[in-house]
Amino acid sequence: MAESWSFLDTVECNFRPLVVIELAKGTKEETIKWFTKRIVDKKANGGAQLLIKPLVTENGDENIYLVGASHLRLLLGAETVGLVKECNDNSMRTFTYSSRKTFKDFEDDNHDFLTMAECQYIIKHELENLRAKDEKMIPGYPQAKLYPGKSIVRRLLTSGILVQIFPLHDREELKKLRHSWYGRVKVGYQPLDDIRCYFGETIALYFGFLEYFTFALIPMAIIGIPYYVFAWEDYDKYVMFATFNLLWSTVILEVWKRICAILTYRWGTLLMKRQFEEPRSGFHGVLGINPVTGREEPVYSSLKRQLRIYLVSLPFVCLCLYFSLYVMMIYFDLEQWALDYHRENESNFSSLMLYVPSIIYAVVIEIMNRIYRYAAEFLTSWENHRLESSYQNHLILKVLVFNFLNCFASLFYIAFVLFDMKLLRQSLATLLITSQILNQFAESLLPYWLQKRHNKRMKKRMCSQKTDTDLSLAEQVNMEKEMGTYLGTFDDYLELFLQFGYVSLFSCVYPLAAVFAVLNNVTEIYSDALKMCRVYKRPFAEPTANIGVWQLAFETMSVISVVTNCILIGMSPQVDAIFPDSKMDLVLTVALVEHLLLAIKFIMAFVIPDKPRDIQIKLAKLEFESLEALKQQ
Amino acid sequence: MAESWSFLDTVECNFRPLVVIELAKGTKEETIKWFTKRIVDKKANGGAQLLIKPLVTENGDENIYLVGASHLRLLLGAETVGLVKECNDNSMRTFTYSSRKTFKDFEDDNHDFLTMAECQYIIKHELENLRAKDEKMIPGYPQAKLYPGKSIVRRLLTSGILVQIFPLHDREELKKLRHSWYGRVKVGYQPLDDIRCYFGETIALYFGFLEYFTFALIPMAIIGIPYYVFAWEDYDKYVMFATFNLLWSTVILEVWKRICAILTYRWGTLLMKRQFEEPRSGFHGVLGINPVTGREEPVYSSLKRQLRIYLVSLPFVCLCLYFSLYVMMIYFDLEQWALDYHRENESNFSSLMLYVPSIIYAVVIEIMNRIYRYAAEFLTSWENHRLESSYQNHLILKVLVFNFLNCFASLFYIAFVLFDMKLLRQSLATLLITSQILNQFAESLLPYWLQKRHNKRMKKRMCSQKTDTDLSLAEQVNMEKEMGTYLGTFDDYLELFLQFGYVSLFSCVYPLAAVFAVLNNVTEIYSDALKMCRVYKRPFAEPTANIGVWQLAFETMSVISVVTNCILIGMSPQVDAIFPDSKMDLVLTVALVEHLLLAIKFIMAFVIPDKPRDIQIKLAKLEFESLEALKQQ
């Protein structure tokens, strides 16, 4: 390895821009000089050994830089980040430079061996791992303190000197991807492998899940349609539908784990070793010794964090949940009041008044959601998590619980307090359909339209009427840097999660929900694809082996749905009629069935293996080989 | 490493017997010669490079052999099996011969660096890994087929040529251990580290769990005593006791995971890499290629195994469960009949008759248990599992379900069908106490007495009146080879599992159960210790990092106990009195509380980390170091 690094010094390479760095306007010369020197400096001197070039724009600003790297540098970087690639014998192995010849499609002059997304990920990783040596502060900015081992890029970002780092789009590739993804009207699978090559594993896995989930809903939708067409109201039919639903939802979540393993094995991320996680940029504390690495870095007591979580965040979340319930009760009171008013003075005005409470409630919910989201972000940030992953998990949990309550509390109230199945069905339909339409609009079409208008204005200003593909690099960078930043898959998963709730929680009351969900998801795939390709900046690829906390969230939802469906069926007059003498027997039977279903669910989840047999064998083979290799040593 | 192996050839070493091999009487000379040659042969020639010596007994039989190994050979073996030892800097690391100087207490002439149990484990591992090369059969026994890569020892065992392999006791060490373990009457912890050194991790972990579990039951016992003393019958008090019980049982199972991590980290097994598992000796199939290793070995279709499990074993188990329930119903009929008979003709004979059904039922249950155990072993063996671990898991599951039903079905029937709380309390007490007394007797005292009698007879025959410690080696081997074989911790855990059931399932009816459990476990520790030290052959040490499937079994029991306790409390007349108007409200409240408790249970299990923070940090540190080492390469 040492040879290859020194070999790197002597090679001249042609520059291909991969990542854009935007500094704040008016950044001091001294700082820029220091930063760029660190980027190009040799590894041995603590640099990143990358290539950097300023982007010359027409107005002569020099605050945008393009970062690239030689082919050899990228291969060495691939080894550092632990990329897993396919070998000539079709097995997946961690890439090392010394064993490069054994990898499929590897040739010294084949620059497509690493995908562009992988190259950009490597550059991002190398930039973030650029660490302060003896610097006590960022040159030129004495207030931006540094300590040995602190990531320079993170400090530059938090102190505002670095505005953003983003990977460049590849216009050619993007065009091809767009064409195969949503360019032509066709029925078929998404090009997941191409999406993964272009956007990385996290995003490809989201689209994979979206597609899988849509297919998985189709049986439910098909079974649901006759209920609507023939207006079936027999509860034995509803019972069958609900039972099918419950077992089906367990099966699809278990099968997803297997499909996820197949996908991520093919993409190499299933085998990728978890890298050691550095503190997230917002983390602060007194300088101390990290017990794991032995390096000097800010340390924050875990006890203090626990206290903050359990004594502040938890009560706050509970308070918010209580408040949300309180608002819901006011809404029901208002609704009742409007109804009474309408009954007393039947007029056009009064019938209009009937809609007012719903509208007010919808607006208030939206406002509460927004405020809560800010509060949750503030609180989670204040909890001062050391790792980005732990920050994300705590944030997701907070937002999830609140959104769940906001979306479903009124439905629960209607179902289990008012016992009004007609109203439940009606509210469910209204909520599901309006939320789907609003989401699609707010999430993709609106930003797309805004973006398009903005682009047109930009182009007009630049007085050029070229098409997308033959834009100059400077124009491309300028256009892309103004695009919105994709904030991750959180909101997309949340939408699916709530949809899953609408479909499964009250499935025996409204079998048509699955049909709407399928229809929505088909268009969702297109609008999300549009969003990724045209609305947002290209995001950095993020290797991942599963959908993380969302798997747990979906599984929890499916457990809750067993309980709700059993209660709903138990409450139906048809089932009531089976037990004419004793309500007791009814309740006991329902409770028994519920416990049986839950037991079956857990047994099924236990029995179905999380990974398909051939993946298990492949993993066992790798493990066996590494054990044998250790013995041979 | 290559150097050290060749170095091994030239070294002469003094022989210390560690493991005994007993061949069948009249084994052919040719076979013995071949087998011993393979054992002493060099590694390079496919041998085990161990030392072997025939044991000359007075009657001149030559069917017993003693196996040992040089100190260097054992160190190299420790590396092969992947032993984890403490380093000079107090961290735990996988032992390698080249880094031996960095380990604590390592000196080239310190033969205590490896414990005797570890040495015996290494020898067992090396013997079992003695594989056939070109031999098509065992020389002298054409019917005992071999194929390249088949473990010779396993084939010798299945064909009956090899009677047994067992490790020798160390009389000195055993005496010390016995003294510190149960030799003096004292209140204190067991010497778990010494037990682990002598018997290995699996057995030490069982005793650790037994001790922990006893301590964990003490709070429940203490709270339970006043219920008995003051004859509290208020149900609000029972509710409090049950609630405490439910949360407590969750906490203790979670905390055990943490304690288990602390123990196994200290013992090194937490970090020990799982070795590749060879097929178990009973496994058969057509010769094929193992997809994992690429070696030739018997292959058996996984689909066929699944079919056998789901189409034969599962229905059979269900049938047995049904039969067991049927027998229980007959018992209740008999009981009723005896009661009626007693009422009609009140006489001495009739009051004696009252006991007959219980006695018959107890005997029948015992017989059913035995028959079922054989059937379960036969079926699981017929399912033809490739791995011993998978065989064990399937066997444990089968036996567990049946034992659970046999023990608790009658109690469930009394509680939830007859609604007779008095009878429930009485049956619970009778079952718990008699089973405890019988167990202690059948499991330790009886074998101990038999063993003692046998030893006396042996000694008399040898006409020597020496004490244990100054027996000659030949006498020691002859005595130990006749001792019973310890069949693993299965029955011991099963006993604890059923006890946990008695304590937790109906805890709100009979709070005194915990007291009896504690009393039993205190003596159980002593009788089990006696059993290990004096009754059975020394077992081979088995490294393990946790109590495996038993953790799951105990957790499932604690989930079931939430349900039973909630129902019991709901059925009590006192709680009934709180809802005088509506039975409905009562049932709904009970169901709500039950779901809340279950939710709290799962959240608690999720929130409490499985490993204490300092173990987490130590593990992270090791992972970080290995990542750094990879980068340095």
Side-chain angles (χ1 to χ4, degrees):
Chain A
M1 189 83 168
E3 297 165 59
S4 26
W5 281 108
S6 57
F7 176 63
L8 197 58
D9 304 339
T10 59
V11 174
E12 277 294 307
C13 12
N14 51 347
F15 183 80
R16 181 195 180 199
L18 289 166
V19 172
V20 178
I21 291 181
E22 186 185 358
L23 296 175
K25 274 185 186 156
T27 302
K28 292 192 185 146
E29 200 60 38
E30 174 189 10
T31 316
I32 297 181
K33 221 166 161 185
W34 166 77
F35 186 43
T36 50
K37 180 169 184 307
R38 287 300 300 269
I39 290 176
V40 296
D41 221 353
K42 285 179 194 168
K43 266 275 173 186
N45 302 341
Q49 217 155 349
L50 301 172
L51 307 170
I52 190 164
K53 233 172 72 174
L55 179 81
V56 188
T57 51
E58 65 255 53
N59 43 16
D61 283 353
E62 253 216 18
N63 61 332
I64 293 175
Y65 290 82
L66 300 171
V67 180
S70 69
H71 182 52
L72 178 58
R73 176 70 190 85
L74 289 172
L75 291 178
L76 295 173
E79 179 170 344
T80 314
V81 299
L83 279 195
V84 172
K85 286 271 183 185
E86 192 175 357
C87 282
N88 283 325
D89 61 350
N90 293 325
S91 65
M92 306 295 299
R93 273 163 222 276
T94 307
F95 178 81
T96 61
Y97 186 72
S98 54
S99 66
R100 64 194 181 280
K101 303 277 184 205
T102 61
F103 284 85
K104 204 170 176 174
D105 297 329
F106 184 89
E107 269 159 61
D108 277 323
D109 55 351
N110 175 13
H111 288 214
D112 290 336
F113 176 69
L114 298 173
T115 66
M116 190 172 171
E118 280 168 345
C119 295
Q120 290 167 333
Y121 173 69
I122 291 164
I123 289 185
K124 177 187 168 225
H125 179 266
E126 294 294 342
L127 285 176
E128 283 191 341
N129 271 285
L130 212 50
R131 294 178 183 290
K133 293 181 295 184
D134 324 314
E135 297 98 333
K136 290 269 168 284
M137 40 139 221
I138 288 173
Y141 294 87
Q143 77 283 8
K145 295 269 192 311
L146 284 173
Y147 54 85
K150 170 78 185 173
S151 163
I152 289 171
V153 167
R154 291 189 178 204
R155 169 56 79 232
L156 285 170
L157 276 169
T158 45
S159 55
I161 301 165
L162 192 59
V163 178
Q164 59 177 345
I165 303 185
F166 64 90
L168 266 179
H169 266 300
D170 180 335
R171 300 259 141 192
E172 279 300 311
E173 281 297 316
L174 184 61
K175 208 176 163 189
K176 269 190 236 162
L177 177 66
R178 277 207 317 250
H179 183 71
S180 66
W181 201 356
Y182 63 91
R184 55 216 155 116
V185 178
K186 44 113 219 203
V187 179
Y189 299 108
Q190 297 174 87
L192 284 183
D193 289 333
D194 297 340
I195 300 172
R196 176 244 162 186
C197 281
Y198 197 85
F199 287 114
E201 288 78 13
T202 305
I203 288 167
L205 213 52
Y206 163 68
F207 281 101
F209 182 69
L210 178 56
E211 180 175 282
Y212 168 77
F213 188 62
T214 311
F215 276 108
L217 285 177
I218 287 178
M220 274 153 89
I222 289 174
I223 300 180
I225 288 172
Y227 285 81
Y228 178 73
V229 175
F230 304 117
W232 283 348
E233 291 282 331
D234 318 343
Y235 257 73
D236 53 342
K237 292 210 179 73
Y238 275 118
V239 169
M240 274 179 51
F241 183 71
T243 314
F244 169 76
N245 238 358
L246 297 177
L247 298 181
W248 185 241
S249 70
T250 310
V251 171
I252 61 176
L253 290 176
E254 286 303 309
V255 173
W256 165 249
K257 281 192 213 153
R258 296 164 67 92
I259 291 181
C260 184
I262 295 175
L263 286 176
T264 54
Y265 177 80
R266 195 166 70 213
W267 297 340
T269 47
L270 187 63
L271 287 167
M272 212 166 154
K273 288 234 172 58
R274 209 164 49 89
Q275 295 286 312
F276 180 75
E277 272 190 276
E278 297 296 329
R280 63 187 293 269
S281 48
F283 177 69
H284 58 85
V286 281
L287 265 194
I289 302 291
N290 181 320
V292 174
T293 59
R295 289 187 197 144
E296 203 179 28
E297 70 168 43
V299 173
Y300 188 75
S301 140
S302 154
L303 180 72
K304 271 194 204 162
R305 187 179 305 124
Q306 301 281 337
L307 285 178
R308 286 184 174 188
I309 292 174
Y310 291 109
L311 295 186
V312 181
S313 295
L314 188 64
F316 175 80
V317 171
C318 292
L319 204 76
C320 287
L321 295 179
Y322 176 77
F323 185 70
S324 154
L325 287 178
Y326 193 76
V327 168
M328 187 196 74
M329 297 310 296
I330 294 177
Y331 156 67
F332 279 107
D333 284 349
L334 271 181
E335 186 97 334
Q336 193 56 46
W337 174 83
L339 214 68
D340 292 347
Y341 182 81
H342 177 65
R343 263 193 217 123
E344 277 169 33
N345 1 261
E346 219 154 308
S347 68
N348 275 344
F349 174 72
S350 75
S351 62
L352 256 177
M353 279 295 282
L354 273 179
Y355 291 96
V356 171
S358 295
I359 294 169
I360 294 178
Y361 185 53
V363 172
V364 169
I365 275 195
E366 194 51 41
I367 294 172
M368 286 201 308
N369 261 341
R370 293 279 160 101
I371 296 176
Y372 180 80
R373 185 73 165 264
Y374 279 111
E377 272 168 23
F378 173 79
L379 269 181
T380 317
S381 167
W382 177 72
E383 280 161 22
N384 202 13
H385 294 275
R386 191 179 161 274
L387 300 181
E388 184 64 27
S389 59
S390 131
Y391 169 85
Q392 286 295 341
N393 285 344
H394 277 86
L395 181 63
I396 289 180
L397 192 67
K398 285 195 188 73
V399 176
L400 216 59
V401 171
F402 191 74
N403 270 281
F404 180 85
L405 203 81
N406 258 351
C407 273
F408 300 117
S410 64
L411 296 175
F412 274 94
Y413 187 78
I414 295 173
F416 304 126
V417 180
L418 302 183
F419 299 116
D420 188 340
M421 291 304 124
K422 275 251 161 67
L423 184 59
L424 177 61
R425 195 171 306 167
Q426 192 187 313
S427 308
L428 191 59
T430 321
L431 271 174
L432 177 65
I433 295 165
T434 49
S435 79
Q436 288 186 345
I437 293 173
L438 281 179
N439 259 323
Q440 298 248 356
F441 181 73
E443 203 188 305
S444 323
L445 301 179
L446 186 67
Y448 179 64
W449 178 72
L450 286 174
Q451 180 66 30
K452 210 150 196 181
R453 217 181 52 163
H454 175 81
N455 279 4
K456 257 191 203 143
R457 238 190 300 150
M458 285 275 288
K459 275 190 200 159
K460 228 175 249 167
R461 212 172 47 195
M462 290 192 240
C463 300
S464 66
Q465 290 295 334
K466 306 168 203 171
T467 61
D468 272 10
T469 33
D470 42 45
L471 278 174
S472 79
L473 184 64
E475 282 164 338
Q476 187 195 337
V477 170
N478 268 317
M479 202 189 283
E480 285 184 18
K481 88 179 165 62
E482 300 298 329
M483 287 168 117
T485 305
Y486 180 64
L487 292 171
T489 49
F490 180 82
D491 287 292
D492 296 317
Y493 276 116
L494 184 62
E495 206 186 318
L496 277 186
F497 173 74
L498 296 177
Q499 185 192 70
F500 184 58
Y502 286 122
V503 172
S504 63
L505 284 179
F506 307 99
S507 64
C508 60
V509 171
Y510 189 56
L512 218 55
V515 179
F516 284 108
V518 169
L519 290 180
N520 175 69
N521 287 359
V522 171
T523 55
E524 177 89 20
I525 290 176
Y526 285 89
S527 68
D528 278 353
L530 187 75
K531 181 173 85 174
M532 291 312 305
C533 294
R534 310 220 70 164
V535 178
Y536 289 123
K537 274 190 206 86
R538 183 177 191 172
F540 276 108
E542 223 27 88
T544 183
N546 50 55
I547 60 171
V549 71
W550 292 105
Q551 182 80 39
L552 188 69
F554 275 79
E555 281 167 10
T556 310
M557 180 73 94
S558 96
V559 168
I560 297 175
S561 73
V562 171
V563 181
T564 53
N565 277 296
C566 284
I567 302 177
L568 282 177
I569 290 174
M571 276 170 19
S572 70
Q574 289 88 337
V575 174
D576 233 28
I578 306 174
F579 299 91
D581 307 324
S582 146
K583 274 226 151 207
M584 260 313 260
D585 284 353
L586 167 68
V587 175
L588 292 179
T589 311
V590 168
L592 189 70
V593 169
E594 187 224 324
H595 282 86
L596 274 181
L597 280 174
L598 281 177
I600 293 174
K601 247 185 102 69
F602 281 108
I603 291 171
M604 267 167 63
F606 187 76
V607 167
I608 300 175
D610 284 357
K611 294 190 185 92
R613 226 185 120 65
D614 62 317
I615 301 280
Q616 277 177 29
I617 288 176
K618 280 171 185 162
L619 293 180
K621 198 170 168 181
L622 281 176
E623 201 185 333
F624 175 74
E625 276 171 15
S626 77
L627 274 176
E628 286 295 291
L630 268 178
K631 273 184 200 157
Q632 300 288 307
Q633 247 180 18
Chain B
M1 188 84 167
E3 295 166 61
S4 25
W5 280 108
S6 58
F7 177 64
L8 197 57
D9 304 338
T10 59
V11 174
E12 279 293 308
C13 12
N14 50 349
F15 183 79
R16 180 195 180 200
L18 289 166
V19 171
V20 178
I21 292 182
E22 185 185 0
L23 296 175
K25 273 183 187 157
T27 302
K28 292 191 185 146
E29 199 60 38
E30 171 189 13
T31 316
I32 297 180
K33 223 169 162 184
W34 166 77
F35 185 44
T36 50
K37 182 172 182 304
R38 288 299 303 269
I39 290 176
V40 296
D41 221 354
K42 283 181 195 168
K43 264 277 173 185
N45 301 341
Q49 216 154 351
L50 300 173
L51 308 171
I52 191 163
K53 233 173 72 173
L55 180 80
V56 188
T57 52
E58 63 256 51
N59 43 14
D61 282 355
E62 254 216 17
N63 62 332
I64 293 175
Y65 290 82
L66 299 171
V67 181
S70 68
H71 182 52
L72 178 58
R73 176 69 191 85
L74 289 171
L75 290 177
L76 294 172
E79 178 170 344
T80 313
V81 300
L83 280 196
V84 173
K85 287 269 181 185
E86 190 174 0
C87 281
N88 284 324
D89 61 349
N90 294 325
S91 65
M92 305 295 298
R93 272 160 223 279
T94 306
F95 177 80
T96 60
Y97 185 72
S98 55
S99 66
R100 63 193 181 280
K101 303 275 183 205
T102 61
F103 285 84
K104 204 169 174 176
D105 296 330
F106 184 90
E107 269 160 62
D108 278 322
D109 54 351
N110 175 12
H111 288 213
D112 291 335
F113 176 69
L114 298 173
T115 66
M116 189 172 171
E118 280 167 345
C119 294
Q120 291 168 333
Y121 173 70
I122 290 165
I123 288 183
K124 177 188 170 224
H125 179 266
E126 294 294 342
L127 284 177
E128 284 191 341
N129 271 284
L130 212 51
R131 293 176 184 291
K133 291 180 297 184
D134 324 315
E135 297 97 334
K136 290 271 166 282
M137 40 140 223
I138 288 173
Y141 296 85
Q143 77 283 10
K145 296 268 190 313
L146 283 173
Y147 54 86
K150 170 77 186 176
S151 162
I152 290 172
V153 168
R154 290 187 179 206
R155 168 57 78 231
L156 285 171
L157 275 170
T158 46
S159 55
I161 302 164
L162 192 58
V163 178
Q164 59 178 346
I165 302 184
F166 63 91
L168 268 179
H169 267 300
D170 179 336
R171 300 259 141 193
E172 280 299 311
E173 280 299 314
L174 184 61
K175 206 175 166 189
K176 268 190 239 164
L177 177 67
R178 278 208 315 251
H179 182 71
S180 66
W181 199 357
Y182 64 91
R184 54 218 155 115
V185 178
K186 44 113 217 204
V187 179
Y189 298 108
Q190 295 174 87
L192 285 183
D193 290 332
D194 297 340
I195 300 172
R196 176 244 160 186
C197 281
Y198 197 85
F199 287 112
E201 288 79 13
T202 304
I203 289 167
L205 213 52
Y206 163 68
F207 281 100
F209 182 68
L210 177 57
E211 179 176 283
Y212 168 77
F213 189 61
T214 310
F215 276 108
L217 285 177
I218 288 179
M220 274 152 90
I222 290 175
I223 300 181
I225 288 173
Y227 285 81
Y228 178 73
V229 175
F230 303 118
W232 283 347
E233 291 281 333
D234 317 343
Y235 256 72
D236 51 342
K237 292 211 179 74
Y238 276 118
V239 170
M240 273 180 52
F241 182 71
T243 315
F244 168 77
N245 239 358
L246 297 177
L247 299 182
W248 185 241
S249 70
T250 309
V251 171
I252 61 175
L253 290 176
E254 286 302 308
V255 172
W256 166 249
K257 282 192 211 154
R258 296 165 66 94
I259 290 181
C260 184
I262 295 175
L263 285 175
T264 53
Y265 177 82
R266 194 167 70 212
W267 297 341
T269 46
L270 187 63
L271 287 166
M272 212 164 154
K273 288 234 172 57
R274 209 165 48 90
Q275 295 286 312
F276 179 76
E277 272 189 277
E278 296 297 328
R280 62 186 293 268
S281 48
F283 178 69
H284 58 85
V286 280
L287 265 196
I289 302 292
N290 181 321
V292 173
T293 59
R295 289 185 196 146
E296 203 179 26
E297 69 168 43
V299 173
Y300 187 75
S301 142
S302 155
L303 180 72
K304 270 193 205 163
R305 188 179 304 125
Q306 301 282 334
L307 286 179
R308 287 184 173 188
I309 292 174
Y310 290 110
L311 296 186
V312 180
S313 295
L314 189 63
F316 175 79
V317 171
C318 292
L319 203 77
C320 287
L321 296 180
Y322 175 77
F323 184 71
S324 153
L325 286 180
Y326 192 76
V327 168
M328 186 195 75
M329 296 309 297
I330 294 177
Y331 157 67
F332 278 108
D333 285 349
L334 273 180
E335 186 97 333
Q336 192 55 47
W337 174 83
L339 214 68
D340 292 346
Y341 182 82
H342 177 64
R343 263 194 218 122
E344 278 168 32
N345 1 264
E346 220 153 310
S347 68
N348 277 344
F349 174 71
S350 76
S351 62
L352 256 177
M353 279 294 283
L354 273 180
Y355 291 96
V356 172
S358 294
I359 294 168
I360 293 178
Y361 185 53
V363 172
V364 169
I365 275 196
E366 194 50 40
I367 293 171
M368 286 202 307
N369 260 341
R370 291 279 160 102
I371 296 175
Y372 180 81
R373 186 72 166 266
Y374 279 111
E377 272 168 24
F378 173 78
L379 270 182
T380 318
S381 166
W382 178 72
E383 280 161 22
N384 203 11
H385 294 275
R386 190 179 161 275
L387 300 182
E388 184 64 29
S389 59
S390 131
Y391 170 84
Q392 286 296 340
N393 285 344
H394 276 86
L395 181 62
I396 289 180
L397 192 68
K398 284 196 189 72
V399 177
L400 215 58
V401 171
F402 191 74
N403 270 281
F404 180 86
L405 204 80
N406 258 350
C407 273
F408 300 117
S410 63
L411 295 176
F412 274 94
Y413 186 78
I414 295 173
F416 305 126
V417 180
L418 302 182
F419 299 116
D420 188 340
M421 291 304 123
K422 274 248 163 69
L423 184 59
L424 176 62
R425 195 171 307 167
Q426 192 187 313
S427 308
L428 190 60
T430 320
L431 271 175
L432 177 66
I433 295 166
T434 50
S435 79
Q436 287 185 346
I437 291 172
L438 281 180
N439 258 325
Q440 298 248 354
F441 181 74
E443 201 188 308
S444 322
L445 300 179
L446 185 67
Y448 178 64
W449 177 73
L450 286 175
Q451 180 65 32
K452 209 149 197 182
R453 216 181 51 163
H454 175 81
N455 279 2
K456 256 191 204 142
R457 235 188 305 147
M458 285 276 288
K459 276 188 199 158
K460 227 175 248 165
R461 211 173 47 195
M462 290 191 240
C463 299
S464 65
Q465 290 296 335
K466 307 168 202 170
T467 61
D468 272 9
T469 33
D470 42 45
L471 278 175
S472 79
L473 185 64
E475 283 163 339
Q476 187 194 338
V477 170
N478 268 317
M479 201 188 284
E480 284 182 21
K481 87 179 166 62
E482 300 298 329
M483 287 168 115
T485 305
Y486 179 65
L487 292 172
T489 49
F490 180 82
D491 287 293
D492 297 316
Y493 277 115
L494 183 62
E495 205 186 320
L496 276 186
F497 172 75
L498 296 176
Q499 184 191 70
F500 184 59
Y502 286 122
V503 172
S504 63
L505 284 179
F506 308 98
S507 63
C508 61
V509 171
Y510 189 56
L512 218 55
V515 179
F516 284 108
V518 169
L519 289 180
N520 175 68
N521 288 359
V522 170
T523 55
E524 177 88 20
I525 290 176
Y526 286 89
S527 68
D528 279 352
L530 188 74
K531 181 174 85 176
M532 290 312 306
C533 294
R534 310 220 72 163
V535 178
Y536 289 123
K537 273 190 206 86
R538 183 177 191 171
F540 276 109
E542 224 25 88
T544 183
N546 50 54
I547 60 171
V549 71
W550 291 105
Q551 183 81 38
L552 188 69
F554 276 79
E555 280 167 12
T556 309
M557 180 72 94
S558 96
V559 169
I560 297 174
S561 73
V562 171
V563 181
T564 53
N565 277 295
C566 283
I567 302 176
L568 282 178
I569 290 174
M571 276 169 22
S572 69
Q574 290 88 336
V575 173
D576 233 28
I578 307 174
F579 299 90
D581 307 323
S582 145
K583 273 226 153 208
M584 262 310 261
D585 285 352
L586 167 69
V587 175
L588 292 179
T589 311
V590 168
L592 189 70
V593 169
E594 186 225 324
H595 282 86
L596 275 181
L597 279 173
L598 281 177
I600 293 174
K601 246 185 104 67
F602 281 108
I603 291 171
M604 266 167 62
F606 187 77
V607 166
I608 300 176
D610 284 357
K611 294 190 184 92
R613 225 185 121 65
D614 63 317
I615 301 281
Q616 278 176 29
I617 288 176
K618 281 172 184 163
L619 294 180
K621 198 170 169 180
L622 280 176
E623 201 186 335
F624 175 74
E625 276 171 15
S626 75
L627 274 176
E628 287 294 292
L630 269 178
K631 274 186 201 158
Q632 301 286 308
Q633 246 178 17

